[in-house]
Amino acid sequence: MSRYTGSTWSKSRHLNFSLLETGEELKKRPYGPGQHGQDRKRKPSEYGTQLLEKQKLRYLYGLNERQFRKMFMLAKKEKTVTGLAFFRILESRLDNLVYRIGFARTRPAARQLVNHGHILVNGKKVDIASYLCKVGDVITLKEETPLKVVLESLETAPATVPYVEVDKEKRIGKFIRLPERNELAKEINESAIIEYYNRKL
């Protein structure tokens, strides 16, 4: 299954979950898209609920199904609780950390910055968005004079998450520790995602 490239707002309304993590998409129309969006009141089955939770997390991080399943399999091998390990792996992706630092306003924009070779990790160019960073890694921009879009993003970026340290003037970000569950999307039920994959594997 390919990565979703359609409207984030429409998908957020379909999932009843803010993929931008701001809630903006659901303020004006807090119901599903389309002609019958307000009429969808049927309660989903147990499988449907599990699938919905999986889709929320997959679309939040912008992964295709193959990538998402691969991340889940990595999490299952960790000694940490699978749900937390899964979140930590997703948060450790380079494109996600570029977004968290504030170099880009969205994860797709962050992925583009990485793919185009604008990002350095510990002083070395990394152009693989799925690259898993380690605690202590320093993320910077390749250019001495950064792109206008990056400067605009840094100016408007909200407060960064506590597990990322940012120096906006020097345009440096550091992954200082692994996140805790209470610092991540509270609307996601990771237990349902684990159940979904357990019945698939």
Side-chain angles (χ1 to χ4, degrees):
M1 184 181 292
S2 61
R3 182 183 291 113
Y4 178 73
T5 57
S7 167
T8 299
W9 285 55
S10 178
K11 183 57 69 176
S12 292
R13 289 174 58 203
H14 173 71
L15 297 171
N16 193 29
F17 172 72
S18 175
L19 296 176
L20 297 177
E21 299 182 278
T22 61
E24 282 294 319
E25 313 98 304
L26 306 175
K27 279 183 180 177
K28 198 170 183 181
R29 299 174 182 172
Y31 49 83
Q35 183 179 357
H36 304 290
Q38 299 185 64
D39 302 327
R40 297 172 187 169
K41 297 179 181 178
R42 188 177 65 176
K43 187 176 179 180
S45 64
E46 182 182 353
Y47 174 78
T49 300
Q50 293 168 1
L51 177 62
L52 182 64
E53 292 302 311
K54 190 264 291 188
Q55 297 294 65
K56 283 181 186 178
L57 195 61
R58 184 168 78 81
Y59 286 119
L60 177 64
Y61 288 94
L63 307 184
N64 62 36
E65 181 60 34
R66 181 181 58 80
Q67 291 172 316
F68 195 72
R69 182 187 286 254
K70 182 181 177 182
M71 298 290 106
F72 178 79
M73 296 307 293
L74 285 175
K76 285 200 74 172
K77 296 176 182 177
E78 295 287 331
K79 294 179 180 179
T80 314
V81 176
T82 302
L84 178 58
F86 194 21
F87 264 113
R88 284 176 169 176
I89 289 171
L90 292 169
E91 283 291 318
S92 299
R93 283 174 55 100
L94 180 55
D95 57 352
N96 177 75
L97 287 172
V98 168
Y99 163 70
R100 292 296 193 195
I101 289 166
F103 290 159
R105 291 179 179 175
T106 63
R107 286 186 179 88
R111 187 176 303 114
Q112 192 172 40
L113 277 179
V114 176
N115 290 340
H116 289 183
H118 296 294
I119 301 298
L120 304 178
V121 179
N122 300 326
K124 296 181 180 179
K125 186 179 83 170
V126 179
D127 57 7
I128 301 171
S130 61
Y131 176 84
L132 295 180
C133 295
K134 298 175 182 176
V135 171
D137 281 353
V138 176
I139 300 166
T140 56
L141 296 167
K142 182 181 176 183
E143 298 85 355
E144 290 184 10
T145 305
L147 302 171
K148 182 181 177 182
V149 66
V150 174
L151 291 175
E152 289 175 349
S153 178
L154 282 169
E155 287 176 6
T156 58
T160 53
V161 289
Y163 43 91
V164 172
E165 195 175 74
V166 180
D167 186 327
K168 290 189 177 183
E169 288 187 8
K170 295 182 179 178
R171 295 179 285 276
I172 295 174
K174 186 175 182 180
F175 189 24
I176 58 175
R177 64 171 174 82
L178 294 171
E180 298 299 332
R181 180 62 186 93
N182 61 4
E183 297 170 329
L184 303 166
K186 296 176 176 60
E187 302 91 339
I188 300 289
N189 178 4
E190 64 269 29
S191 297
I193 300 171
I194 294 169
E195 290 170 8
Y196 173 86
Y197 279 114
N198 282 343
R199 69 194 295 172
K200 287 280 186 180
L201 299 175

